[in-house]
Amino acid sequence: MENYFQMNMTKAEIDAISNLGLAHMGDCVFEILCRAYLCAQGGKKVDQLHKETINMVKATSQAKFADKMLPLLTEEEHAVFKRGRNAPVKSVPGHASRAQYGEATALEALLGWLYLLGRQERINQLFIKMMEE
């Protein structure tokens, strides 16, 4: 039986997934981390949690978070990040520039790649760095 909550795919299996497929996975990984981070702060009403989550997961914010964690990336992780940044996106939301959207997609692709490899500890290390003031 597969454990979809804690994935452990091979690199060959992950290489078969498109860059945008990795970003699709990483999008939800990043959102669940943001939701957990905000809930752990305590004392917030659900509407406040929702607004703060939306603010954290938008492309402009993700681009800033990506800048914070870039210096920590290994050569392999940086290659995945670049692969995600170069993914051919069809449209860019109005609130973000093409460059910001590319950085956000790269961040999501990297998190998706790490998640599918089963590297939750590494994801947590990078997320902690992103949340530093």
Side-chain angles (χ1 to χ4, degrees):
M1 181 172 126
E2 292 284 336
N3 180 347
Y4 293 102
F5 197 68
Q6 293 183 330
M7 297 296 293
N8 190 15
M9 294 173 71
T10 66
K11 287 186 181 187
E13 291 171 319
I14 295 170
D15 286 345
I17 301 170
S18 72
N19 298 335
L20 294 177
L22 292 175
H24 172 74
M25 184 76 247
D27 177 56
C28 70
V29 171
F30 188 69
E31 183 161 341
I32 199 167
L33 289 167
C34 291
R35 286 175 179 237
Y37 174 80
L38 293 170
C39 284
Q41 293 175 353
K44 296 181 182 187
K45 295 181 179 181
V46 73
D47 61 328
Q48 185 180 8
L49 290 169
H50 178 71
K51 287 176 186 173
E52 290 184 32
T53 299
I54 297 291
N55 188 49
M56 291 175 78
V57 301
K58 66 184 179 183
T60 53
S61 296
Q62 285 184 344
K64 290 176 187 173
F65 291 138
D67 287 341
K68 288 181 166 184
M69 62 134 207
L70 272 173
L72 297 178
L73 298 185
T74 66
E75 191 174 311
E76 184 180 35
E77 291 167 346
H78 199 265
V80 173
F81 185 88
K82 284 172 42 176
R83 191 177 134 194
R85 185 176 54 213
N86 296 331
V89 295
K90 301 244 187 239
S91 63
V92 176
H95 68 275
S97 69
R98 182 165 289 283
Q100 289 170 321
Y101 197 69
E103 292 289 304
T105 303
L107 170 66
E108 291 173 348
L110 175 61
L111 293 177
W113 182 79
L114 289 168
Y115 174 78
L116 293 172
L117 282 172
R119 297 184 183 168
Q120 288 86 357
E121 282 186 45
R122 181 62 174 151
I123 292 169
N124 195 54
Q125 288 173 344
L126 295 174
F127 185 76
I128 288 169
K129 181 65 175 178
M130 286 184 256
M131 294 303 109
E132 287 180 358
E133 292 296 322

